[in-house]
Amino acid sequence: MKHDELLQFLRRYRLAVQASVTPDGAPQAAVVGFAVSDELEIVFDTVESTRKYRNLRADPRIALVVGWDNAITAQIEGVADFPTGSELERIRACYFTAYPDGRDRLAWPGITHVRVRPAWVRYSDFTQDPPHIEEFTIE
């Protein structure tokens, strides 16, 4: 799968399930609204009081699943960070393209934006027989 094909697939969706690990090693998952940059960075907002925020601050490894309907999915593993300065402004612009109402949430106490840089992807299309499955790394 080429970069542009993955980008096109991800941009068809607005929701992802993200999974992180609590400080004591327990799994934690949540549905997030996301956007994706031209560089395949996945961006979502959250507030500092959430479990996902605390988990990702302690251990930035993250997994996401996109596109569970229609039997086609992308499973993504990567590393999350919390950009500041001009990088924060850049990823917010990406997020606000998908979620214009995200600007209103900037007034929320503790709002922040998370950037995920994918390192591994498994794309699965079960609408075909046999299924089309590709695994690849992103550097």
Side-chain angles (χ1 to χ4, degrees):
M1 170 170 266
K2 295 182 176 123
H3 176 279
D4 290 342
E5 293 170 323
L6 180 58
L7 185 61
Q8 182 181 14
F9 172 79
L10 293 174
R11 285 186 171 161
R12 289 196 309 235
Y13 296 91
R14 295 177 47 91
L15 299 176
V17 174
Q18 72 80 39
S20 57
V21 178
T22 66
D24 67 356
Q28 187 267 320
V31 174
V32 295
F34 76 96
V36 61
S37 74
D38 290 341
E39 294 79 25
L40 289 175
E41 301 160 306
I42 296 167
V43 181
F44 61 91
D45 67 2
T46 190
V47 292
E48 295 173 352
S49 61
T50 62
R51 293 188 307 162
K52 70 179 138 319
Y53 174 84
R54 290 189 303 271
N55 295 346
L56 293 170
R57 279 291 190 190
D59 183 342
R61 294 175 298 165
I62 188 169
L64 300 113
V65 177
V66 176
W68 50 89
D69 54 348
N70 301 322
I72 304 173
T73 64
Q75 296 168 269
I76 300 166
E77 294 176 1
V79 177
D81 69 345
F82 299 85
T84 60
S86 63
E87 277 299 287
L88 175 59
E89 294 309 312
R90 184 181 67 78
I91 68 162
R92 278 182 176 167
C94 171
Y95 184 78
F96 296 154
T97 298
Y99 290 93
D101 63 326
R103 288 180 181 87
D104 298 336
R105 290 191 291 279
L106 291 176
W108 293 5
I111 192 77
T112 189
H113 289 81
V114 181
R115 170 178 54 193
V116 178
R117 291 183 168 133
W120 176 88
V121 176
R122 177 185 170 120
Y123 174 83
S124 302
D125 181 348
F126 290 98
T127 66
Q128 303 177 33
D129 188 18
H132 174 80
I133 298 172
E134 286 186 61
E135 289 185 13
F136 51 94
T137 56
I138 298 175
E139 298 183 35

